[in-house]
PDB file of all heavy atoms in Angstrom:
ATOM      1  N   ILE Y1183      92.868 106.189 107.231  1.00 91.00           N
ATOM      2  CA  ILE Y1183      92.123 105.314 106.291  1.00 91.00           C
ATOM      3  C   ILE Y1183      92.895 105.059 104.995  1.00 91.00           C
ATOM      4  O   ILE Y1183      92.744 103.982 104.363  1.00 91.00           O
ATOM      5  CB  ILE Y1183      90.722 105.867 105.943  1.00 91.00           C
ATOM      6  CG1 ILE Y1183      89.796 104.837 105.556  1.00 91.00           C
ATOM      7  CG2 ILE Y1183      90.875 106.994 104.950  1.00 91.00           C
ATOM      8  CD1 ILE Y1183      89.365 103.982 106.693  1.00 91.00           C
ATOM      9  N   GLN Y1184      93.968 105.845 104.806  1.00 92.00           N
ATOM     10  CA  GLN Y1184      94.740 105.636 103.546  1.00 92.00           C
ATOM     11  C   GLN Y1184      95.505 104.300 103.633  1.00 92.00           C
ATOM     12  O   GLN Y1184      95.797 103.680 102.570  1.00 92.00           O
ATOM     13  CB  GLN Y1184      95.674 106.809 103.255  1.00 92.00           C
ATOM     14  CG  GLN Y1184      95.020 108.106 102.883  1.00 92.00           C
ATOM     15  CD  GLN Y1184      94.000 107.981 101.748  1.00 92.00           C
ATOM     16  OE1 GLN Y1184      94.386 107.336 100.706  1.00 92.00           O
ATOM     17  NE2 GLN Y1184      92.824 108.535 101.850  1.00 92.00           N
ATOM     18  N   ASP Y1185      95.786 103.924 104.803  1.00 95.00           N
ATOM     19  CA  ASP Y1185      96.473 102.608 105.060  1.00 95.00           C
ATOM     20  C   ASP Y1185      95.622 101.470 104.479  1.00 95.00           C
ATOM     21  O   ASP Y1185      96.083 100.436 103.981  1.00 95.00           O
ATOM     22  CB  ASP Y1185      96.848 102.331 106.428  1.00 95.00           C
ATOM     23  CG  ASP Y1185      98.017 103.199 106.962  1.00 95.00           C
ATOM     24  OD1 ASP Y1185      98.810 103.629 106.160  1.00 95.00           O
ATOM     25  OD2 ASP Y1185      98.193 103.374 108.172  1.00 95.00           O
ATOM     26  N   LEU Y1186      94.359 101.640 104.742  1.00 96.00           N
ATOM     27  CA  LEU Y1186      93.364 100.639 104.264  1.00 96.00           C
ATOM     28  C   LEU Y1186      93.316 100.579 102.756  1.00 96.00           C
ATOM     29  O   LEU Y1186      93.335  99.471 102.145  1.00 96.00           O
ATOM     30  CB  LEU Y1186      91.949 100.863 104.871  1.00 96.00           C
ATOM     31  CG  LEU Y1186      90.834  99.983 104.504  1.00 96.00           C
ATOM     32  CD1 LEU Y1186      91.149  98.480 104.741  1.00 96.00           C
ATOM     33  CD2 LEU Y1186      89.534 100.376 105.195  1.00 96.00           C
ATOM     34  N   TRP Y1187      93.140 101.713 102.126  1.00 96.00           N
ATOM     35  CA  TRP Y1187      92.975 101.719 100.671  1.00 96.00           C
ATOM     36  C   TRP Y1187      94.273 101.209 100.014  1.00 96.00           C
ATOM     37  O   TRP Y1187      94.166 100.492  99.034  1.00 96.00           O
ATOM     38  CB  TRP Y1187      92.716 103.205 100.162  1.00 96.00           C
ATOM     39  CG  TRP Y1187      91.502 103.857 100.798  1.00 96.00           C
ATOM     40  CD1 TRP Y1187      91.426 105.191 101.076  1.00 96.00           C
ATOM     41  CD2 TRP Y1187      90.254 103.289 101.163  1.00 96.00           C
ATOM     42  NE1 TRP Y1187      90.207 105.463 101.576  1.00 96.00           N
ATOM     43  CE2 TRP Y1187      89.427 104.294 101.667  1.00 96.00           C
ATOM     44  CE3 TRP Y1187      89.750 101.994 101.197  1.00 96.00           C
ATOM     45  CZ2 TRP Y1187      88.188 104.146 102.180  1.00 96.00           C
ATOM     46  CZ3 TRP Y1187      88.462 101.789 101.615  1.00 96.00           C
ATOM     47  CH2 TRP Y1187      87.723 102.807 102.172  1.00 96.00           C
ATOM     48  N   ARG Y1188      95.431 101.566 100.552  1.00 96.00           N
ATOM     49  CA  ARG Y1188      96.648 101.116  99.969  1.00 96.00           C
ATOM     50  C   ARG Y1188      96.830  99.602 100.097  1.00 96.00           C
ATOM     51  O   ARG Y1188      97.263  98.931  99.100  1.00 96.00           O
ATOM     52  CB  ARG Y1188      97.822 101.727 100.684  1.00 96.00           C
ATOM     53  CG  ARG Y1188      99.178 101.421 100.084  1.00 96.00           C
ATOM     54  CD  ARG Y1188     100.336 102.181 100.691  1.00 96.00           C
ATOM     55  NE  ARG Y1188     100.522 102.043 102.076  1.00 96.00           N
ATOM     56  CZ  ARG Y1188     100.128 102.864 103.021  1.00 96.00           C
ATOM     57  NH1 ARG Y1188      99.574 104.071 102.675  1.00 96.00           N
ATOM     58  NH2 ARG Y1188     100.313 102.564 104.326  1.00 96.00           N
ATOM     59  N   THR Y1189      96.341  98.984 101.204  1.00 97.00           N
ATOM     60  CA  THR Y1189      96.459  97.582 101.405  1.00 97.00           C
ATOM     61  C   THR Y1189      95.529  96.843 100.410  1.00 97.00           C
ATOM     62  O   THR Y1189      95.874  95.797  99.816  1.00 97.00           O
ATOM     63  CB  THR Y1189      96.162  97.199 102.916  1.00 97.00           C
ATOM     64  OG1 THR Y1189      97.084  97.740 103.750  1.00 97.00           O
ATOM     65  CG2 THR Y1189      96.199  95.672 103.057  1.00 97.00           C
ATOM     66  N   LEU Y1190      94.282  97.478 100.248  1.00 97.00           N
ATOM     67  CA  LEU Y1190      93.314  96.786  99.311  1.00 97.00           C
ATOM     68  C   LEU Y1190      93.921  96.813  97.906  1.00 97.00           C
ATOM     69  O   LEU Y1190      93.759  95.793  97.176  1.00 97.00           O
ATOM     70  CB  LEU Y1190      92.033  97.560  99.303  1.00 97.00           C
ATOM     71  CG  LEU Y1190      91.221  97.494 100.641  1.00 97.00           C
ATOM     72  CD1 LEU Y1190      89.919  98.247 100.518  1.00 97.00           C
ATOM     73  CD2 LEU Y1190      90.835  96.017 100.942  1.00 97.00           C
ATOM     74  N   ASP Y1191      94.560  97.848  97.494  1.00 97.00           N
ATOM     75  CA  ASP Y1191      95.228  97.892  96.168  1.00 97.00           C
ATOM     76  C   ASP Y1191      96.305  96.878  96.053  1.00 97.00           C
ATOM     77  O   ASP Y1191      96.449  96.278  95.003  1.00 97.00           O
ATOM     78  CB  ASP Y1191      95.717  99.289  95.921  1.00 97.00           C
ATOM     79  CG  ASP Y1191      94.618 100.362  95.637  1.00 97.00           C
ATOM     80  OD1 ASP Y1191      93.473  99.843  95.277  1.00 97.00           O
ATOM     81  OD2 ASP Y1191      94.815 101.564  95.747  1.00 97.00           O
ATOM     82  N   GLU Y1192      97.081  96.716  97.091  1.00 96.00           N
ATOM     83  CA  GLU Y1192      98.214  95.713  97.055  1.00 96.00           C
ATOM     84  C   GLU Y1192      97.652  94.316  96.982  1.00 96.00           C
ATOM     85  O   GLU Y1192      98.274  93.442  96.282  1.00 96.00           O
ATOM     86  CB  GLU Y1192      99.070  95.840  98.370  1.00 96.00           C
ATOM     87  CG  GLU Y1192      99.857  97.207  98.394  1.00 96.00           C
ATOM     88  CD  GLU Y1192     100.508  97.378  99.702  1.00 96.00           C
ATOM     89  OE1 GLU Y1192     100.293  96.565 100.662  1.00 96.00           O
ATOM     90  OE2 GLU Y1192     101.291  98.375  99.839  1.00 96.00           O
ATOM     91  N   LEU Y1193      96.534  94.043  97.468  1.00 97.00           N
ATOM     92  CA  LEU Y1193      95.931  92.671  97.554  1.00 97.00           C
ATOM     93  C   LEU Y1193      95.060  92.405  96.388  1.00 97.00           C
ATOM     94  O   LEU Y1193      94.657  91.322  96.156  1.00 97.00           O
ATOM     95  CB  LEU Y1193      95.135  92.482  98.878  1.00 97.00           C
ATOM     96  CG  LEU Y1193      95.963  92.450 100.135  1.00 97.00           C
ATOM     97  CD1 LEU Y1193      95.031  92.254 101.362  1.00 97.00           C
ATOM     98  CD2 LEU Y1193      96.996  91.294 100.083  1.00 97.00           C
ATOM     99  N   ARG Y1194      94.647  93.480  95.593  1.00 97.00           N
ATOM    100  CA  ARG Y1194      93.720  93.321  94.553  1.00 97.00           C
ATOM    101  C   ARG Y1194      94.071  92.201  93.509  1.00 97.00           C
ATOM    102  O   ARG Y1194      93.215  91.461  93.136  1.00 97.00           O
ATOM    103  CB  ARG Y1194      93.534  94.618  93.776  1.00 97.00           C
ATOM    104  CG  ARG Y1194      92.376  94.769  92.927  1.00 97.00           C
ATOM    105  CD  ARG Y1194      92.148  96.184  92.399  1.00 97.00           C
ATOM    106  NE  ARG Y1194      92.071  97.152  93.537  1.00 97.00           N
ATOM    107  CZ  ARG Y1194      90.995  97.415  94.241  1.00 97.00           C
ATOM    108  NH1 ARG Y1194      89.878  96.735  93.978  1.00 97.00           N
ATOM    109  NH2 ARG Y1194      91.043  98.260  95.236  1.00 97.00           N
ATOM    110  N   PRO Y1195      95.414  92.019  93.183  1.00 96.00           N
ATOM    111  CA  PRO Y1195      95.726  90.957  92.211  1.00 96.00           C
ATOM    112  C   PRO Y1195      95.366  89.612  92.687  1.00 96.00           C
ATOM    113  O   PRO Y1195      95.324  88.635  91.936  1.00 96.00           O
ATOM    114  CB  PRO Y1195      97.287  91.189  92.014  1.00 96.00           C
ATOM    115  CG  PRO Y1195      97.525  92.622  92.393  1.00 96.00           C
ATOM    116  CD  PRO Y1195      96.558  92.888  93.460  1.00 96.00           C
ATOM    117  N   TYR Y1196      95.122  89.423  94.075  1.00 96.00           N
ATOM    118  CA  TYR Y1196      94.892  88.107  94.557  1.00 96.00           C
ATOM    119  C   TYR Y1196      93.447  87.828  94.833  1.00 96.00           C
ATOM    120  O   TYR Y1196      93.116  86.844  95.405  1.00 96.00           O
ATOM    121  CB  TYR Y1196      95.734  87.956  95.862  1.00 96.00           C
ATOM    122  CG  TYR Y1196      97.205  88.197  95.660  1.00 96.00           C
ATOM    123  CD1 TYR Y1196      97.806  89.422  95.973  1.00 96.00           C
ATOM    124  CD2 TYR Y1196      98.002  87.196  95.011  1.00 96.00           C
ATOM    125  CE1 TYR Y1196      99.151  89.601  95.669  1.00 96.00           C
ATOM    126  CE2 TYR Y1196      99.342  87.401  94.856  1.00 96.00           C
ATOM    127  CZ  TYR Y1196      99.904  88.634  95.101  1.00 96.00           C
ATOM    128  OH  TYR Y1196     101.212  88.791  94.813  1.00 96.00           O
ATOM    129  N   PHE Y1197      92.599  88.869  94.542  1.00 97.00           N
ATOM    130  CA  PHE Y1197      91.095  88.632  94.781  1.00 97.00           C
ATOM    131  C   PHE Y1197      90.650  87.439  93.974  1.00 97.00           C
ATOM    132  O   PHE Y1197      89.815  86.704  94.563  1.00 97.00           O
ATOM    133  CB  PHE Y1197      90.422  89.880  94.332  1.00 97.00           C
ATOM    134  CG  PHE Y1197      90.536  91.073  95.280  1.00 97.00           C
ATOM    135  CD1 PHE Y1197      90.052  92.294  94.945  1.00 97.00           C
ATOM    136  CD2 PHE Y1197      91.205  90.889  96.480  1.00 97.00           C
ATOM    137  CE1 PHE Y1197      90.196  93.418  95.803  1.00 97.00           C
ATOM    138  CE2 PHE Y1197      91.386  91.998  97.368  1.00 97.00           C
ATOM    139  CZ  PHE Y1197      90.893  93.184  96.955  1.00 97.00           C
ATOM    140  N   PRO Y1198      91.004  87.168  92.706  1.00 96.00           N
ATOM    141  CA  PRO Y1198      90.594  85.970  92.136  1.00 96.00           C
ATOM    142  C   PRO Y1198      90.946  84.649  92.888  1.00 96.00           C
ATOM    143  O   PRO Y1198      90.178  83.723  92.822  1.00 96.00           O
ATOM    144  CB  PRO Y1198      91.208  86.014  90.720  1.00 96.00           C
ATOM    145  CG  PRO Y1198      91.405  87.509  90.503  1.00 96.00           C
ATOM    146  CD  PRO Y1198      91.833  88.044  91.849  1.00 96.00           C
ATOM    147  N   LEU Y1199      92.121  84.692  93.511  1.00 95.00           N
ATOM    148  CA  LEU Y1199      92.545  83.535  94.237  1.00 95.00           C
ATOM    149  C   LEU Y1199      91.618  83.343  95.471  1.00 95.00           C
ATOM    150  O   LEU Y1199      91.342  82.225  95.803  1.00 95.00           O
ATOM    151  CB  LEU Y1199      93.991  83.726  94.570  1.00 95.00           C
ATOM    152  CG  LEU Y1199      94.661  82.513  95.392  1.00 95.00           C
ATOM    153  CD1 LEU Y1199      94.517  81.239  94.644  1.00 95.00           C
ATOM    154  CD2 LEU Y1199      96.173  82.834  95.751  1.00 95.00           C
ATOM    155  N   LEU Y1200      91.345  84.458  96.105  1.00 95.00           N
ATOM    156  CA  LEU Y1200      90.415  84.403  97.246  1.00 95.00           C
ATOM    157  C   LEU Y1200      89.073  83.750  96.841  1.00 95.00           C
ATOM    158  O   LEU Y1200      88.503  82.841  97.508  1.00 95.00           O
ATOM    159  CB  LEU Y1200      90.188  85.765  97.814  1.00 95.00           C
ATOM    160  CG  LEU Y1200      91.044  86.320  98.854  1.00 95.00           C
ATOM    161  CD1 LEU Y1200      90.723  87.719  99.233  1.00 95.00           C
ATOM    162  CD2 LEU Y1200      91.262  85.399 100.108  1.00 95.00           C
ATOM    163  N   ARG Y1201      88.593  84.209  95.713  1.00 96.00           N
ATOM    164  CA  ARG Y1201      87.308  83.667  95.199  1.00 96.00           C
ATOM    165  C   ARG Y1201      87.294  82.207  94.865  1.00 96.00           C
ATOM    166  O   ARG Y1201      86.482  81.374  95.110  1.00 96.00           O
ATOM    167  CB  ARG Y1201      86.871  84.491  93.987  1.00 96.00           C
ATOM    168  CG  ARG Y1201      86.438  85.944  94.373  1.00 96.00           C
ATOM    169  CD  ARG Y1201      85.754  86.684  93.245  1.00 96.00           C
ATOM    170  NE  ARG Y1201      86.646  86.992  92.218  1.00 96.00           N
ATOM    171  CZ  ARG Y1201      87.220  88.078  92.014  1.00 96.00           C
ATOM    172  NH1 ARG Y1201      87.058  89.040  92.914  1.00 96.00           N
ATOM    173  NH2 ARG Y1201      88.050  88.338  90.998  1.00 96.00           N
ATOM    174  N   LYS Y1202      88.578  81.872  94.314  1.00 94.00           N
ATOM    175  CA  LYS Y1202      88.745  80.428  93.947  1.00 94.00           C
ATOM    176  C   LYS Y1202      88.850  79.592  95.235  1.00 94.00           C
ATOM    177  O   LYS Y1202      88.255  78.477  95.260  1.00 94.00           O
ATOM    178  CB  LYS Y1202      90.027  80.307  93.164  1.00 94.00           C
ATOM    179  CG  LYS Y1202      90.405  78.873  92.728  1.00 94.00           C
ATOM    180  CD  LYS Y1202      91.732  78.841  91.968  1.00 94.00           C
ATOM    181  CE  LYS Y1202      92.128  77.403  91.638  1.00 94.00           C
ATOM    182  NZ  LYS Y1202      93.400  77.291  90.906  1.00 94.00           N
ATOM    183  N   LYS Y1203      89.571  80.022  96.241  1.00 94.00           N
ATOM    184  CA  LYS Y1203      89.700  79.245  97.547  1.00 94.00           C
ATOM    185  C   LYS Y1203      88.289  78.989  98.066  1.00 94.00           C
ATOM    186  O   LYS Y1203      87.965  77.936  98.522  1.00 94.00           O
ATOM    187  CB  LYS Y1203      90.529  79.980  98.508  1.00 94.00           C
ATOM    188  CG  LYS Y1203      91.985  80.115  98.051  1.00 94.00           C
ATOM    189  CD  LYS Y1203      92.776  78.783  98.368  1.00 94.00           C
ATOM    190  CE  LYS Y1203      94.254  79.000  98.227  1.00 94.00           C
ATOM    191  NZ  LYS Y1203      94.992  77.779  98.518  1.00 94.00           N
ATOM    192  N   HIS Y1204      87.447  80.064  98.020  1.00 96.00           N
ATOM    193  CA  HIS Y1204      86.126  80.008  98.656  1.00 96.00           C
ATOM    194  C   HIS Y1204      85.300  78.956  97.846  1.00 96.00           C
ATOM    195  O   HIS Y1204      84.521  78.082  98.394  1.00 96.00           O
ATOM    196  CB  HIS Y1204      85.449  81.336  98.696  1.00 96.00           C
ATOM    197  CG  HIS Y1204      84.118  81.305  99.285  1.00 96.00           C
ATOM    198  ND1 HIS Y1204      82.994  81.599  98.662  1.00 96.00           N
ATOM    199  CD2 HIS Y1204      83.765  80.973 100.599  1.00 96.00           C
ATOM    200  CE1 HIS Y1204      81.972  81.477  99.520  1.00 96.00           C
ATOM    201  NE2 HIS Y1204      82.426  81.177 100.720  1.00 96.00           N
ATOM    202  N   ALA Y1205      85.388  79.037  96.549  1.00 95.00           N
ATOM    203  CA  ALA Y1205      84.666  78.125  95.603  1.00 95.00           C
ATOM    204  C   ALA Y1205      85.034  76.697  95.869  1.00 95.00           C
ATOM    205  O   ALA Y1205      84.277  75.726  95.730  1.00 95.00           O
ATOM    206  CB  ALA Y1205      84.876  78.528  94.194  1.00 95.00           C
ATOM    207  N   GLN Y1206      86.393  76.528  96.251  1.00 92.00           N
ATOM    208  CA  GLN Y1206      86.869  75.184  96.481  1.00 92.00           C
ATOM    209  C   GLN Y1206      86.518  74.614  97.827  1.00 92.00           C
ATOM    210  O   GLN Y1206      86.829  73.426  98.191  1.00 92.00           O
ATOM    211  CB  GLN Y1206      88.393  75.115  96.334  1.00 92.00           C
ATOM    212  CG  GLN Y1206      88.856  75.380  94.836  1.00 92.00           C
ATOM    213  CD  GLN Y1206      90.325  75.463  94.746  1.00 92.00           C
ATOM    214  OE1 GLN Y1206      91.048  75.810  95.696  1.00 92.00           O
ATOM    215  NE2 GLN Y1206      90.899  75.203  93.601  1.00 92.00           N
ATOM    216  N   GLY Y1207      85.802  75.414  98.648  1.00 94.00           N
ATOM    217  CA  GLY Y1207      85.357  74.947  99.943  1.00 94.00           C
ATOM    218  C   GLY Y1207      86.152  75.472 101.194  1.00 94.00           C
ATOM    219  O   GLY Y1207      85.823  75.032 102.346  1.00 94.00           O
ATOM    220  N   SER Y1208      87.097  76.363 100.994  1.00 95.00           N
ATOM    221  CA  SER Y1208      87.782  76.881 102.145  1.00 95.00           C
ATOM    222  C   SER Y1208      86.887  77.807 102.955  1.00 95.00           C
ATOM    223  O   SER Y1208      86.164  78.694 102.405  1.00 95.00           O
ATOM    224  CB  SER Y1208      89.056  77.619 101.734  1.00 95.00           C
ATOM    225  OG  SER Y1208      89.972  76.828 101.118  1.00 95.00           O
ATOM    226  N   LEU Y1209      86.954  77.760 104.279  1.00 97.00           N
ATOM    227  CA  LEU Y1209      86.342  78.693 105.162  1.00 97.00           C
ATOM    228  C   LEU Y1209      87.197  79.963 105.162  1.00 97.00           C
ATOM    229  O   LEU Y1209      88.327  79.924 105.524  1.00 97.00           O
ATOM    230  CB  LEU Y1209      86.206  78.121 106.585  1.00 97.00           C
ATOM    231  CG  LEU Y1209      85.562  79.026 107.590  1.00 97.00           C
ATOM    232  CD1 LEU Y1209      84.090  79.274 107.343  1.00 97.00           C
ATOM    233  CD2 LEU Y1209      85.753  78.489 109.003  1.00 97.00           C
ATOM    234  N   LEU Y1210      86.600  81.167 104.795  1.00 98.00           N
ATOM    235  CA  LEU Y1210      87.358  82.372 104.744  1.00 98.00           C
ATOM    236  C   LEU Y1210      87.008  83.103 106.037  1.00 98.00           C
ATOM    237  O   LEU Y1210      85.810  83.331 106.351  1.00 98.00           O
ATOM    238  CB  LEU Y1210      87.020  83.165 103.569  1.00 98.00           C
ATOM    239  CG  LEU Y1210      87.127  82.541 102.133  1.00 98.00           C
ATOM    240  CD1 LEU Y1210      86.935  83.593 101.010  1.00 98.00           C
ATOM    241  CD2 LEU Y1210      88.582  81.921 101.967  1.00 98.00           C
ATOM    242  N   VAL Y1211      87.993  83.591 106.700  1.00 98.00           N
ATOM    243  CA  VAL Y1211      87.752  84.284 108.029  1.00 98.00           C
ATOM    244  C   VAL Y1211      88.615  85.650 108.018  1.00 98.00           C
ATOM    245  O   VAL Y1211      89.807  85.575 107.519  1.00 98.00           O
ATOM    246  CB  VAL Y1211      88.092  83.520 109.255  1.00 98.00           C
ATOM    247  CG1 VAL Y1211      87.192  82.275 109.248  1.00 98.00           C
ATOM    248  CG2 VAL Y1211      89.471  83.132 109.366  1.00 98.00           C
ATOM    249  N   SER Y1212      88.084  86.642 108.635  1.00 98.00           N
ATOM    250  CA  SER Y1212      88.836  87.937 108.687  1.00 98.00           C
ATOM    251  C   SER Y1212      88.734  88.519 110.055  1.00 98.00           C
ATOM    252  O   SER Y1212      87.681  88.321 110.681  1.00 98.00           O
ATOM    253  CB  SER Y1212      88.422  88.868 107.634  1.00 98.00           C
ATOM    254  OG  SER Y1212      87.094  89.364 107.919  1.00 98.00           O
ATOM    255  N   ASN Y1213      89.733  89.253 110.459  1.00 97.00           N
ATOM    256  CA  ASN Y1213      89.679  89.983 111.734  1.00 97.00           C
ATOM    257  C   ASN Y1213      89.573  91.487 111.464  1.00 97.00           C
ATOM    258  O   ASN Y1213      90.249  92.027 110.524  1.00 97.00           O
ATOM    259  CB  ASN Y1213      90.981  89.666 112.511  1.00 97.00           C
ATOM    260  CG  ASN Y1213      91.189  90.728 113.662  1.00 97.00           C
ATOM    261  OD1 ASN Y1213      92.135  91.369 113.738  1.00 97.00           O
ATOM    262  ND2 ASN Y1213      90.256  90.600 114.628  1.00 97.00           N
ATOM    263  N   CYS Y1214      88.661  92.152 112.152  1.00 95.00           N
ATOM    264  CA  CYS Y1214      88.631  93.656 112.220  1.00 95.00           C
ATOM    265  C   CYS Y1214      88.511  94.156 110.732  1.00 95.00           C
ATOM    266  O   CYS Y1214      87.635  93.733 110.010  1.00 95.00           O
ATOM    267  CB  CYS Y1214      89.924  94.008 112.897  1.00 95.00           C
ATOM    268  SG  CYS Y1214      89.923  95.822 113.358  1.00 95.00           S
TER     269      CYS Y1214
END
């Protein structure tokens, strides 16, 4: 599970961009 926590920390700076993309109308999809 540490691989998951490490990846979340690496992506954390881009969370505002994810929220912006969604607000702009992008369909967000995730696997697994």
Side-chain angles (χ1 to χ4, degrees):
I1183 204 71
Q1184 294 306 315
D1185 286 341
L1186 177 57
W1187 305 146
R1188 185 172 61 254
T1189 299
L1190 292 179
D1191 286 339
E1192 292 172 352
L1193 294 177
R1194 197 171 305 278
Y1196 304 98
F1197 288 172
L1199 182 56
L1200 274 177
R1201 293 190 288 266
K1202 179 180 178 181
K1203 293 281 190 181
H1204 185 244
Q1206 291 175 337
S1208 293
L1209 176 70
L1210 305 187
V1211 302
S1212 68
N1213 167 245
C1214 194

